[in-house]
Amino acid sequence: QVQLVESGGGLVQAGGSLRLSCSISASTFNGYATGWFRQAPGKEREFVAAIRWSGGNTMYADSVKGRFTVSRDNARKMVYLQMNSLNPEDTAVYYCAHGARIIWSQLHNQVAYDYWGQGTQVTVSS
C-alpha cells in the first residue's frame, strides 16, 4: 500500500514563500506521476502542479505558473512544491497525489491519481 505524507504547511504573509514536501512510500516510481492539488474553503479541489518521475516533465495550473515550482528527489522519494509570491487566494489545504500511467493530458485530473495524502494547511494572510 502506497502512503503519502505532506508537510511544510503553515501561516505566511502575502508575498512570502513556503515549501511543501510529500513523502511517498512506494517501491517503484517508473511510470508514475505525483500531483499537487488544493481545496479552499467552500470550493472544489483543484489542480496545482504535477511532475512525472520518469523524465521529470512538469505541468502547472495557470494560476500558479511562474510562482510555484514542483520538483522531485528520487533518492529520498520526495516531491516538493516551492511556493513563492503567495497571496491570500492561495489559502487552501494542499494535497499530494500519486498515480501510475497517467497520460500527459490527464495530469491535471484528480481522478487519474490512485493514492492521496491527508493534506497540509496553507494560510496566507493579507
Side-chain angles (χ1 to χ4, degrees):
Q1 181 72 4
V2 175
Q3 292 185 330
L4 286 74
V5 179
E6 302 97 335
S7 61
L11 174 64
V12 64
Q13 289 187 332
S17 299
L18 281 176
R19 188 179 81 155
L20 304 183
S21 300
C22 176
S23 174
I24 305 171
S25 66
S27 58
T28 181
F29 289 83
N30 285 336
Y32 278 78
T34 301
W36 286 97
F37 294 80
R38 66 186 182 185
Q39 187 167 20
K43 295 187 177 181
E44 294 187 351
R45 189 160 57 186
E46 64 176 5
F47 171 74
V48 176
I51 187 167
R52 281 181 159 170
W53 284 84
S54 302
N57 306 82
T58 58
M59 177 185 284
Y60 296 92
D62 288 342
S63 59
V64 306
K65 277 181 184 176
R67 301 189 298 124
F68 291 11
T69 302
V70 60
S71 62
R72 73 198 191 297
D73 185 326
N74 293 43
R76 297 186 177 187
K77 300 182 181 181
M78 299 283 291
V79 172
Y80 305 100
L81 184 67
Q82 178 67 43
M83 306 186 295
N84 299 328
S85 301
L86 286 162
N87 58 62
E89 290 70 37
D90 295 314
T91 295
V93 176
Y94 283 71
Y95 300 89
C96 62
H98 194 61
R101 298 178 296 278
I102 303 175
I103 62 174
W104 179 257
S105 64
Q106 292 299 308
L107 282 176
H108 70 286
N109 190 347
Q110 56 187 299
V111 302
Y113 293 83
D114 303 306
Y115 307 100
W116 290 80
Q118 293 299 308
T120 186
Q121 176 71 47
V122 171
T123 303
V124 185
S125 63
S126 57

Coordinates of all heavy atoms in Angstrom, one line a residue, residues 7-93:
S7 N 3.9 17.7 4.3 CA 4.4 18.6 5.4 C 4.8 19.9 4.8 O 5.0 20.0 3.6 CB 5.6 17.9 6.1 OG 6.6 17.7 5.3
G8 N 5.0 20.9 5.8 CA 5.5 22.1 5.3 C 4.5 23.3 5.3 O 4.9 24.4 5.0
G9 N 3.2 22.9 5.5 CA 2.2 24.0 5.5 C 2.4 24.9 6.7 O 3.2 24.7 7.6
G10 N 1.6 26.0 6.7 CA 1.7 26.9 7.8 C 1.1 28.3 7.4 O 0.3 28.4 6.4
L11 N 1.3 29.2 8.3 CA 0.8 30.6 8.1 C 1.9 31.5 7.6 O 3.0 31.5 8.1 CB 0.3 31.1 9.4 CG -0.2 32.6 9.4 CD1 -1.4 32.8 8.5 CD2 -0.5 33.0 10.9
V12 N 1.6 32.2 6.5 CA 2.6 33.1 5.9 C 2.0 34.4 5.4 O 0.8 34.4 5.1 CB 3.4 32.4 4.7 CG1 2.4 32.1 3.6 CG2 4.6 33.2 4.2
Q13 N 2.7 35.5 5.4 CA 2.1 36.7 5.0 C 2.2 36.8 3.4 O 3.0 36.1 2.8 CB 2.9 37.9 5.5 CG 2.7 38.1 7.0 CD 3.4 39.4 7.5 OE1 4.4 39.8 6.9 NE2 2.8 40.0 8.5
A14 N 1.3 37.6 2.9 CA 1.2 37.8 1.4 C 2.6 38.2 0.9 O 3.3 39.0 1.6 CB 0.2 38.8 1.1
G15 N 3.0 37.6 -0.2 CA 4.3 37.9 -0.7 C 5.4 36.9 -0.2 O 6.5 36.9 -0.8
G16 N 5.1 36.1 0.8 CA 6.1 35.2 1.3 C 6.1 33.9 0.6 O 5.5 33.7 -0.5
S17 N 6.9 33.0 1.1 CA 7.2 31.7 0.5 C 7.0 30.5 1.5 O 7.2 30.7 2.7 CB 8.6 31.6 -0.1 OG 8.8 32.6 -1.1
L18 N 6.7 29.4 0.9 CA 6.6 28.1 1.7 C 7.1 27.0 0.7 O 6.9 27.1 -0.5 CB 5.2 27.8 2.2 CG 4.7 28.5 3.4 CD1 3.2 28.1 3.6 CD2 5.5 28.2 4.6
R19 N 7.6 26.0 1.3 CA 7.9 24.8 0.6 C 7.2 23.6 1.2 O 7.5 23.2 2.4 CB 9.4 24.5 0.5 CG 9.8 23.4 -0.5 CD 11.2 23.1 -0.6 NE 11.7 22.2 0.5 CZ 12.8 21.5 0.4 NH1 13.5 21.4 -0.7 NH2 13.2 20.7 1.5
L20 N 6.4 23.0 0.4 CA 5.7 21.8 0.8 C 6.4 20.6 0.4 O 7.1 20.6 -0.6 CB 4.3 21.7 0.2 CG 3.3 22.9 0.5 CD1 2.0 22.6 -0.1 CD2 3.2 23.2 2.0
S21 N 6.4 19.5 1.2 CA 7.0 18.3 0.9 C 6.0 17.1 0.9 O 5.0 17.2 1.7 CB 8.1 18.0 2.0 OG 9.1 19.0 2.0
C22 N 6.3 16.2 0.1 CA 5.4 15.0 0.0 C 6.3 13.8 0.1 O 7.1 13.5 -0.9 CB 4.6 15.0 -1.2 SG 3.5 13.5 -1.5
S23 N 6.2 13.0 1.1 CA 7.0 11.8 1.2 C 6.1 10.6 0.7 O 5.0 10.5 1.1 CB 7.4 11.5 2.7 OG 8.0 10.3 2.9
I24 N 6.7 9.8 -0.1 CA 6.0 8.7 -0.8 C 6.6 7.4 -0.5 O 7.8 7.1 -0.8 CB 6.0 8.9 -2.3 CG1 5.4 10.3 -2.6 CG2 5.1 7.8 -3.0 CD1 5.6 10.7 -4.1
S25 N 5.8 6.5 0.1 CA 6.3 5.1 0.5 C 5.9 4.2 -0.6 O 5.0 3.4 -0.5 CB 5.7 4.7 1.8 OG 4.3 4.5 1.7
A26 N 6.7 4.2 -1.7 CA 6.4 3.3 -2.8 C 7.7 2.6 -3.2 O 8.8 3.1 -2.9 CB 5.9 4.1 -4.0
S27 N 7.6 1.5 -3.8 CA 8.8 0.7 -4.1 C 9.3 1.0 -5.5 O 10.5 0.7 -5.9 CB 8.6 -0.8 -4.0 OG 7.5 -1.2 -4.8
T28 N 8.4 1.5 -6.4 CA 8.8 1.8 -7.7 C 8.2 3.1 -8.1 O 7.1 3.5 -7.7 CB 8.4 0.7 -8.7 OG1 8.9 1.1 -10.0 CG2 6.9 0.5 -8.7
F29 N 8.9 3.9 -9.0 CA 8.4 5.2 -9.4 C 8.4 5.3 -10.9 O 7.8 6.3 -11.4 CB 9.3 6.3 -8.8 CG 9.1 6.5 -7.3 CD1 9.7 5.6 -6.4 CD2 8.2 7.4 -6.8 CE1 9.5 5.8 -5.1 CE2 8.0 7.5 -5.5 CZ 8.7 6.7 -4.6
N30 N 9.0 4.4 -11.6 CA 8.9 4.5 -13.1 C 7.5 4.4 -13.6 O 6.8 3.5 -13.2 CB 9.8 3.3 -13.7 CG 11.2 3.6 -13.6 OD1 11.7 4.7 -13.5 ND2 12.0 2.5 -13.6
G31 N 7.2 5.3 -14.4 CA 5.8 5.4 -15.0 C 4.8 6.0 -14.1 O 3.6 6.1 -14.4
Y32 N 5.3 6.6 -13.0 CA 4.3 7.3 -12.0 C 4.5 8.8 -12.2 O 5.4 9.3 -12.7 CB 4.6 6.9 -10.6 CG 4.0 5.6 -10.2 CD1 4.6 4.4 -10.6 CD2 2.9 5.5 -9.4 CE1 4.1 3.2 -10.2 CE2 2.3 4.3 -9.0 CZ 2.9 3.1 -9.4 OH 2.4 1.9 -9.1
A33 N 3.4 9.5 -11.7 CA 3.4 10.9 -11.6 C 2.9 11.3 -10.2 O 2.0 10.6 -9.7 CB 2.5 11.5 -12.7
T34 N 3.3 12.4 -9.8 CA 2.8 12.9 -8.5 C 2.3 14.3 -8.7 O 2.9 15.2 -9.4 CB 4.0 13.0 -7.4 OG1 4.5 11.7 -7.2 CG2 3.4 13.5 -6.1
G35 N 1.1 14.6 -8.2 CA 0.5 15.9 -8.4 C 0.2 16.6 -7.1 O 0.1 15.9 -6.0
W36 N 0.1 17.9 -7.2 CA -0.4 18.7 -6.0 C -1.7 19.3 -6.4 O -1.9 19.8 -7.5 CB 0.6 19.8 -5.8 CG 1.9 19.3 -5.1 CD1 3.1 19.1 -5.7 CD2 2.1 19.1 -3.7 NE1 4.0 18.7 -4.8 CE2 3.4 18.7 -3.5 CE3 1.3 19.2 -2.6 CZ2 4.0 18.4 -2.3 CZ3 1.8 18.9 -1.3 CH2 3.2 18.5 -1.2
F37 N -2.6 19.2 -5.5 CA -4.0 19.7 -5.6 C -4.3 20.6 -4.3 O -3.6 20.4 -3.3 CB -5.0 18.6 -5.7 CG -4.9 17.8 -7.0 CD1 -3.9 16.8 -7.1 CD2 -5.7 18.1 -8.1 CE1 -3.8 16.1 -8.3 CE2 -5.6 17.4 -9.3 CZ -4.6 16.4 -9.4
R38 N -5.2 21.4 -4.4 CA -5.6 22.2 -3.2 C -7.1 22.4 -3.2 O -7.8 22.4 -4.2 CB -4.9 23.6 -3.3 CG -5.3 24.5 -4.4 CD -4.4 25.7 -4.4 NE -4.8 26.7 -5.4 CZ -4.1 27.8 -5.7 NH1 -3.0 28.1 -5.0 NH2 -4.6 28.6 -6.6
Q39 N -7.6 22.6 -2.0 CA -9.0 22.8 -1.8 C -9.2 24.0 -0.8 O -8.8 23.9 0.4 CB -9.7 21.6 -1.3 CG -11.2 21.8 -1.3 CD -12.0 20.4 -1.1 OE1 -11.4 19.4 -0.6 NE2 -13.2 20.4 -1.4
A40 N -9.7 25.1 -1.3 CA -10.0 26.2 -0.4 C -11.4 26.0 0.2 O -12.3 25.3 -0.3 CB -10.0 27.5 -1.3
P41 N -11.7 26.7 1.3 CA -13.0 26.6 2.0 C -14.1 26.9 1.0 O -14.1 28.0 0.3 CB -12.9 27.6 3.1 CG -11.4 27.7 3.4 CD -10.7 27.6 2.1
G42 N -15.1 26.1 0.9 CA -16.3 26.3 0.1 C -16.0 26.1 -1.4 O -16.9 26.4 -2.2
K43 N -14.9 25.6 -1.8 CA -14.6 25.4 -3.2 C -14.2 24.0 -3.5 O -13.8 23.2 -2.6 CB -13.4 26.3 -3.6 CG -13.7 27.8 -3.6 CD -12.6 28.6 -4.2 CE -13.0 30.1 -4.2 NZ -11.9 30.9 -4.8
E44 N -14.2 23.6 -4.7 CA -13.9 22.3 -5.1 C -12.3 22.2 -5.1 O -11.6 23.1 -5.3 CB -14.4 21.9 -6.5 CG -16.0 21.8 -6.5 CD -16.5 21.3 -7.8 OE1 -15.7 21.2 -8.8 OE2 -17.7 21.0 -7.9
R45 N -11.9 20.9 -5.0 CA -10.4 20.7 -5.1 C -9.9 21.0 -6.5 O -10.6 20.6 -7.5 CB -10.1 19.3 -4.7 CG -8.6 19.0 -4.5 CD -8.4 17.7 -3.6 NE -9.1 16.6 -4.1 CZ -9.1 15.4 -3.5 NH1 -8.5 15.3 -2.3 NH2 -9.8 14.4 -4.0
E46 N -8.8 21.6 -6.6 CA -8.3 22.0 -8.0 C -6.8 21.6 -8.1 O -6.1 21.5 -7.2 CB -8.5 23.5 -8.2 CG -7.6 24.4 -7.3 CD -7.7 25.8 -7.6 OE1 -8.5 26.2 -8.5 OE2 -7.0 26.6 -6.9
F47 N -6.5 21.4 -9.4 CA -5.1 21.0 -9.7 C -4.2 22.2 -9.5 O -4.5 23.4 -9.8 CB -5.1 20.6 -11.2 CG -3.7 20.4 -11.7 CD1 -2.9 19.3 -11.4 CD2 -3.2 21.4 -12.6 CE1 -1.7 19.1 -11.9 CE2 -1.9 21.2 -13.2 CZ -1.1 20.1 -12.8
V48 N -3.0 21.9 -9.0 CA -1.9 22.9 -8.8 C -0.7 22.7 -9.7 O -0.3 23.5 -10.5 CB -1.5 23.0 -7.4 CG1 -0.3 24.0 -7.2 CG2 -2.6 23.4 -6.5
A49 N -0.1 21.5 -9.6 CA 1.1 21.2 -10.3 C 1.2 19.6 -10.3 O 0.7 19.0 -9.5 CB 2.3 21.8 -9.7
A50 N 2.1 19.2 -11.3 CA 2.4 17.7 -11.3 C 3.7 17.5 -11.9 O 4.2 18.4 -12.7 CB 1.3 17.0 -12.1
I51 N 4.3 16.4 -11.6 CA 5.6 16.0 -12.1 C 5.6 14.5 -12.4 O 5.1 13.7 -11.7 CB 6.7 16.4 -11.1 CG1 8.1 16.2 -11.8 CG2 6.6 15.7 -9.8 CD1 9.3 16.9 -11.0
R52 N 6.3 14.2 -13.5 CA 6.5 12.8 -13.8 C 7.8 12.3 -13.3 O 8.8 13.0 -13.4 CB 6.4 12.6 -15.3 CG 5.0 12.6 -15.9 CD 5.1 12.3 -17.4 NE 3.8 11.8 -17.9 CZ 3.5 11.7 -19.2 NH1 4.4 12.1 -20.1 NH2 2.4 11.3 -19.6
W53 N 7.9 11.1 -12.7 CA 9.1 10.6 -12.2 C 10.1 10.2 -13.3 O 11.3 10.4 -13.1 CB 8.8 9.4 -11.2 CG 8.3 9.9 -9.9 CD1 7.0 10.2 -9.7 CD2 9.0 10.2 -8.7 NE1 6.9 10.7 -8.4 CE2 8.1 10.7 -7.8 CE3 10.4 10.1 -8.4 CZ2 8.5 11.0 -6.5 CZ3 10.7 10.5 -7.1 CH2 9.8 10.9 -6.2
S54 N 9.6 9.7 -14.4 CA 10.4 9.4 -15.5 C 10.5 10.6 -16.4 O 9.6 11.0 -17.0 CB 9.9 8.2 -16.2 OG 9.7 7.1 -15.4
G55 N 11.7 11.2 -16.4 CA 11.9 12.4 -17.3 C 11.7 13.7 -16.6 O 12.2 14.7 -17.1
G56 N 10.9 13.8 -15.5 CA 10.8 15.0 -14.8 C 9.9 16.1 -15.4 O 10.0 17.2 -15.0
N57 N 9.1 15.7 -16.4 CA 8.2 16.7 -17.0 C 7.2 17.2 -16.0 O 6.8 16.5 -15.1 CB 7.4 16.0 -18.1 CG 8.3 15.4 -19.2 OD1 8.7 14.2 -18.9 ND2 8.6 16.0 -20.2
T58 N 7.0 18.5 -16.1 CA 6.1 19.2 -15.1 C 4.9 19.9 -15.8 O 5.0 20.2 -17.0 CB 6.9 20.2 -14.3 OG1 7.5 21.2 -15.2 CG2 8.0 19.6 -13.5
M59 N 3.9 20.1 -15.1 CA 2.7 20.8 -15.5 C 2.2 21.7 -14.4 O 2.3 21.3 -13.2 CB 1.6 19.8 -15.9 CG 0.3 20.5 -16.4 SD -1.0 19.3 -16.7 CE -0.5 18.7 -18.3
Y60 N 1.7 22.8 -14.7 CA 1.2 23.8 -13.7 C -0.1 24.4 -14.1 O -0.4 24.6 -15.3 CB 2.2 25.0 -13.6 CG 3.6 24.6 -13.1 CD1 4.6 24.3 -14.0 CD2 3.8 24.5 -11.7 CE1 5.8 23.9 -13.5 CE2 5.1 24.1 -11.2 CZ 6.1 23.8 -12.1 OH 7.3 23.5 -11.7
A61 N -0.9 24.7 -13.1 CA -2.1 25.4 -13.3 C -1.7 26.9 -13.7 O -0.7 27.4 -13.2 CB -3.0 25.4 -12.1
D62 N -2.6 27.5 -14.5 CA -2.2 28.9 -14.9 C -2.1 29.8 -13.7 O -1.3 30.8 -13.8 CB -3.3 29.4 -15.9 CG -3.3 28.7 -17.2 OD1 -2.2 28.1 -17.6 OD2 -4.3 28.8 -18.0
S63 N -2.9 29.6 -12.7 CA -2.9 30.5 -11.5 C -1.6 30.4 -10.7 O -1.4 31.4 -10.0 CB -4.1 30.1 -10.6 OG -3.9 28.8 -10.2
V64 N -0.8 29.4 -11.0 CA 0.5 29.3 -10.2 C 1.7 29.4 -11.0 O 2.9 29.4 -10.5 CB 0.5 28.1 -9.3 CG1 -0.8 28.0 -8.4 CG2 0.7 26.8 -10.1
K65 N 1.6 29.4 -12.3 CA 2.7 29.5 -13.2 C 3.6 30.7 -12.9 O 3.1 31.8 -12.7 CB 2.3 29.5 -14.7 CG 2.0 28.2 -15.3 CD 1.5 28.3 -16.7 CE 1.1 27.0 -17.3 NZ 0.6 27.1 -18.7
G66 N 4.9 30.4 -12.8 CA 5.9 31.5 -12.5 C 6.0 31.7 -11.1 O 7.0 32.5 -10.7
R67 N 5.2 31.2 -10.2 CA 5.3 31.4 -8.8 C 5.6 30.1 -8.0 O 6.3 30.1 -7.0 CB 4.0 31.9 -8.2 CG 3.6 33.3 -8.8 CD 2.4 33.9 -8.0 NE 1.2 33.0 -8.1 CZ 0.5 32.6 -7.0 NH1 0.9 32.9 -5.8 NH2 -0.6 31.8 -7.2
F68 N 5.1 29.0 -8.5 CA 5.3 27.7 -7.9 C 6.2 26.8 -8.7 O 6.1 26.9 -10.0 CB 3.9 26.9 -7.7 CG 3.0 27.5 -6.7 CD1 3.2 28.8 -6.2 CD2 1.9 26.8 -6.3 CE1 2.3 29.3 -5.2 CE2 1.0 27.4 -5.4 CZ 1.2 28.6 -4.9
T69 N 7.0 26.0 -8.1 CA 7.8 25.0 -8.7 C 7.7 23.7 -8.1 O 7.9 23.5 -6.9 CB 9.3 25.5 -8.7 OG1 9.4 26.8 -9.3 CG2 10.2 24.5 -9.5
V70 N 7.5 22.7 -8.9 CA 7.4 21.3 -8.4 C 8.7 20.6 -8.8 O 9.2 20.7 -9.9 CB 6.1 20.5 -9.0 CG1 6.1 20.5 -10.5 CG2 6.0 19.2 -8.3
S71 N 9.2 19.8 -7.8 CA 10.4 19.0 -8.1 C 10.4 17.7 -7.4 O 9.5 17.5 -6.5 CB 11.6 19.9 -7.7 OG 11.6 20.1 -6.3
R72 N 11.3 16.8 -7.7 CA 11.3 15.5 -7.0 C 12.8 15.2 -6.6 O 13.7 15.7 -7.2 CB 10.8 14.4 -8.0 CG 11.7 14.1 -9.1 CD 11.1 13.4 -10.2 NE 11.9 12.8 -11.2 CZ 12.8 13.4 -12.0 NH1 13.0 14.7 -11.9 NH2 13.5 12.8 -12.9
D73 N 12.9 14.3 -5.7 CA 14.1 13.8 -5.2 C 14.0 12.3 -5.3 O 13.4 11.7 -4.4 CB 14.5 14.3 -3.8 CG 15.9 13.8 -3.4 OD1 16.3 12.7 -3.7 OD2 16.5 14.6 -2.6
N74 N 14.6 11.7 -6.3 CA 14.4 10.2 -6.5 C 14.9 9.4 -5.3 O 14.3 8.5 -4.9 CB 15.1 9.8 -7.8 CG 14.4 10.4 -9.0 OD1 14.1 11.5 -9.0 ND2 14.3 9.6 -10.0
A75 N 16.1 9.8 -4.8 CA 16.7 9.0 -3.8 C 15.9 9.1 -2.5 O 15.8 8.1 -1.8 CB 18.1 9.5 -3.5
R76 N 15.3 10.2 -2.2 CA 14.6 10.4 -0.9 C 13.1 10.0 -1.1 O 12.4 10.1 -0.1 CB 14.7 11.8 -0.4 CG 16.2 12.1 0.0 CD 16.3 13.5 0.6 NE 17.7 13.8 1.0 CZ 18.0 14.8 1.7 NH1 17.1 15.7 2.1 NH2 19.3 15.0 2.1
K77 N 12.7 9.8 -2.3 CA 11.2 9.5 -2.6 C 10.4 10.7 -2.1 O 9.4 10.5 -1.4 CB 10.8 8.2 -2.0 CG 11.6 7.0 -2.4 CD 11.1 5.7 -1.8 CE 11.9 4.5 -2.2 NZ 11.4 3.3 -1.6
M78 N 10.8 11.9 -2.5 CA 10.1 13.1 -2.0 C 9.7 13.9 -3.3 O 10.4 13.9 -4.3 CB 11.0 13.9 -1.1 CG 11.4 13.2 0.1 SD 10.1 13.2 1.4 CE 10.0 14.9 1.8
V79 N 8.6 14.6 -3.1 CA 8.2 15.6 -4.1 C 8.0 16.9 -3.3 O 7.4 16.9 -2.2 CB 6.9 15.2 -4.9 CG1 6.4 16.4 -5.7 CG2 7.2 14.0 -5.8
Y80 N 8.5 18.0 -3.9 CA 8.4 19.3 -3.3 C 7.5 20.3 -4.1 O 7.5 20.1 -5.3 CB 9.8 19.9 -3.1 CG 10.7 19.0 -2.3 CD1 11.7 18.2 -3.0 CD2 10.7 18.9 -1.0 CE1 12.5 17.3 -2.3 CE2 11.5 18.0 -0.3 CZ 12.4 17.3 -1.0 OH 13.3 16.4 -0.3
L81 N 6.9 21.2 -3.4 CA 6.2 22.3 -4.1 C 6.7 23.6 -3.5 O 6.4 23.9 -2.3 CB 4.7 22.2 -3.9 CG 3.9 23.2 -4.7 CD1 4.1 23.0 -6.2 CD2 2.4 23.2 -4.3
Q82 N 7.6 24.3 -4.2 CA 8.1 25.6 -3.7 C 7.1 26.6 -4.2 O 6.8 26.8 -5.4 CB 9.5 25.8 -4.4 CG 10.0 27.2 -4.0 CD 10.4 27.3 -2.5 OE1 10.9 26.4 -1.9 NE2 10.0 28.5 -1.9
M83 N 6.6 27.4 -3.2 CA 5.6 28.4 -3.5 C 6.1 29.7 -3.1 O 6.4 30.0 -1.9 CB 4.3 28.0 -2.7 CG 3.8 26.6 -2.9 SD 2.2 26.3 -2.0 CE 2.7 26.5 -0.3
N84 N 6.2 30.6 -4.1 CA 6.7 32.0 -3.9 C 5.6 33.0 -4.2 O 4.6 32.6 -4.9 CB 7.9 32.2 -4.8 CG 9.1 31.3 -4.5 OD1 9.3 30.9 -3.3 ND2 9.8 31.0 -5.5
S85 N 5.8 34.2 -3.8 CA 4.8 35.3 -4.1 C 3.4 34.8 -3.7 O 2.5 35.0 -4.5 CB 4.9 35.7 -5.5 OG 6.2 36.1 -5.9
L86 N 3.3 34.3 -2.6 CA 2.0 33.8 -2.1 C 1.0 34.9 -1.9 O 1.4 36.0 -1.5 CB 2.1 32.9 -0.9 CG 2.7 31.6 -1.1 CD1 3.2 31.0 0.2 CD2 1.7 30.6 -1.7
N87 N -0.3 34.7 -2.2 CA -1.3 35.7 -2.0 C -2.5 35.0 -1.2 O -2.5 33.7 -1.2 CB -1.7 36.3 -3.3 CG -2.2 35.3 -4.3 OD1 -3.2 34.6 -4.0 ND2 -1.6 35.2 -5.4
P88 N -3.4 35.7 -0.7 CA -4.5 35.1 0.1 C -5.3 34.1 -0.7 O -5.9 33.2 -0.1 CB -5.3 36.3 0.5 CG -4.3 37.4 0.6 CD -3.4 37.2 -0.5
E89 N -5.4 34.3 -2.0 CA -6.1 33.3 -2.8 C -5.4 31.9 -2.9 O -6.1 31.0 -3.3 CB -6.3 33.8 -4.3 CG -7.2 35.0 -4.4 CD -6.6 36.3 -3.8 OE1 -5.4 36.5 -3.9 OE2 -7.4 37.1 -3.2
D90 N -4.2 31.8 -2.4 CA -3.5 30.5 -2.3 C -3.9 29.8 -1.0 O -3.4 28.6 -0.9 CB -2.0 30.7 -2.4 CG -1.6 31.3 -3.7 OD1 -2.0 30.8 -4.8 OD2 -0.7 32.2 -3.7
T91 N -4.6 30.4 -0.2 CA -5.0 29.7 1.1 C -5.9 28.5 0.8 O -6.9 28.6 0.1 CB -5.8 30.7 2.0 OG1 -4.9 31.7 2.4 CG2 -6.3 30.0 3.2
A92 N -5.5 27.3 1.3 CA -6.2 26.1 1.0 C -5.5 25.0 1.7 O -4.4 25.1 2.3 CB -6.2 25.8 -0.5
V93 N -6.1 23.8 1.7 CA -5.5 22.6 2.1 C -4.8 22.0 0.9 O -5.5 21.9 -0.1 CB -6.5 21.6 2.7 CG1 -5.7 20.3 3.1 CG2 -7.1 22.1 4.0

